[in-house]
Amino acid sequence: MLNGFNNWLLQRLSGVVLTIYTLFLVAYWMLQADSNIKIWQQLFATQWMKDFTLIALLAMLSHAWLGIWTVITDYIKMPWLRLTTQVLVAVALLMYLIWGIQILWS
Amino acid sequence: MLKNSAHAKLSKSPRKLKDELVRDKPVNLNLFTIAFPVTAVASILHRISGIILFILIPYLLYVLQNIVAGTEIFMPFNKFILWIIFVPFIYHVLAGVRHVIMDLGYGEEKNIARTSALVVFVFTALISILLGYYLC
């Protein structure tokens, strides 16, 4: 399950999901007669948009992890420093996930 | 046993001799002296924009938090910050699309790849300008 090919595929698929999410936001914005905070607040109050946003958030965190992991392994060669950096990044991404869920559902 | 240098060299294994040659060969790592093809610039900008976006994730969540709470987040100053954030995002998406197209096997030849890199630059600029216009 955790192999190079699946990582490669997940990075592409998560990118596609994020692109679709972004295009949806742009389309929503363009199709409004007005541009204010209310239209956005209403959008994110619906159940389906919260679900869509959570999926996009999961896609973003996995996409970010794979990308940053690639950069870290390219540039940080000392094992202890690389491990520390990777752990810090992973913890940060997990905190973002929890924060995102809390924003949408509390 | 002979002690002259010719024998000393011969007594080393071929692998050791090769390692020494590899280690001592000259390198030029001064990036300012290297002429990079446009595809190399496109690639490193993709990486740099990715890093920038990673660092900006908390800000995006902060904007989402304010949208859900209903506080007025789209003030002119914040719009400007958002626009500055969108530029690397637009570039990263367009360069990513180019990346996936090349993954599928299209456009991997040298001249096509260089042209597509320039196309990504031009479209990033165009969309950034359009976005700035619409945000005002």
Side-chain angles (χ1 to χ4, degrees), chain A residues 12 22 74-75 96 99 103, chain B residues 47 58 61 65 68 89 103:
Chain A
R12 271 80 186 151
T22 305
D74 269 353
Y75 296 139
Y96 297 156
W99 186 18
I103 290 173
Chain B
R47 175 167 281 199
L61 286 170
Q65 189 171 44
V68 169
F89 178 74
D103 278 345

Side-chain angles (χ1 to χ4, degrees), chain A:
Chain A
M1 223 190 85
L2 290 177
N3 57 52
F5 177 73
N6 283 351
N7 287 350
W8 178 89
L9 190 61
L10 177 60
Q11 203 179 31
R12 271 80 186 151
L13 291 178
S14 56
V16 168
V17 169
L18 287 167
T19 305
I20 294 174
Y21 184 80
T22 305
L23 289 175
F24 172 79
L25 288 178
V26 170
Y28 180 81
W29 180 39
M30 296 272 112
L31 290 172
Q32 300 300 313
D34 232 340
S35 194
N36 52 47
I37 190 75
K38 279 267 183 288
I39 63 168
W40 294 108
Q41 196 179 15
Q42 280 161 4
L43 176 66
F44 283 101
T46 64
Q47 190 56 39
W48 57 266
M49 187 56 185
K50 291 186 190 183
D51 293 343
F52 191 15
T53 303
L54 180 59
I55 292 173
L57 182 63
L58 287 168
M60 181 176 72
L61 296 179
S62 52
H63 190 88
W65 167 253
L66 287 170
I68 298 292
W69 175 89
T70 306
V71 174
I72 289 173
T73 51
D74 269 353
Y75 296 139
I76 306 180
K77 301 298 191 185
M78 286 199 282
W80 58 268
L81 182 60
R82 187 174 69 240
L83 181 64
T84 307
T85 314
Q86 284 173 329
V87 167
L88 288 174
V89 169
V91 168
L93 291 174
L94 282 171
M95 296 203 309
Y96 297 156
L97 176 63
I98 296 171
W99 186 18
I101 293 174
Q102 181 204 23
I103 290 173
L104 292 169
W105 277 287
S106 72

Side-chain angles (χ1 to χ4, degrees), chain B:
Chain B
M1 283 250 133
L2 294 173
K3 286 208 171 135
N4 63 52
S5 62
H7 182 77
K9 271 219 167 60
L10 282 171
S11 67
K12 284 189 197 165
S13 69
R15 195 211 175 106
K16 254 206 165 155
L17 290 173
K18 178 183 163 256
D19 284 348
E20 277 178 21
L21 283 173
V22 167
R23 189 185 61 221
D24 295 335
K25 75 178 181 190
V27 291
N28 176 28
L29 294 177
N30 183 354
L31 296 177
F32 294 104
T33 60
I34 301 175
F36 294 107
V38 70
T39 46
V41 174
S43 177
I44 194 64
L45 284 179
H46 196 197
R47 175 167 281 199
I48 291 172
S49 62
I51 296 172
I52 293 175
L53 290 170
F54 168 70
I55 294 177
L56 289 174
I57 291 178
Y59 181 73
L60 292 176
L61 286 170
Y62 168 76
V63 170
L64 181 65
Q65 189 171 44
N66 278 283
I67 288 176
V68 169
T71 58
E72 191 51 66
I73 193 77
F74 294 121
M75 306 164 305
F77 174 71
N78 275 45
K79 276 193 192 178
F80 181 63
I81 301 285
L82 271 172
W83 181 80
I84 294 199
I85 290 168
F86 279 136
V87 175
F89 178 74
I90 294 164
Y91 178 80
H92 193 86
V93 173
L94 291 178
V97 168
R98 172 176 176 268
H99 215 304
V100 170
I101 292 175
M102 290 176 91
D103 278 345
L104 294 170
Y106 303 111
E108 290 180 311
E109 302 75 30
K110 182 178 77 176
N111 290 325
I112 303 180
R114 288 187 180 179
T115 308
S116 66
L118 288 171
V119 165
V120 166
F121 294 152
V122 166
F123 271 89
T124 302
L126 284 176
I127 296 178
S128 301
I129 293 171
L130 266 174
L131 182 67
Y133 171 73
Y134 272 114
L135 276 176
C136 291

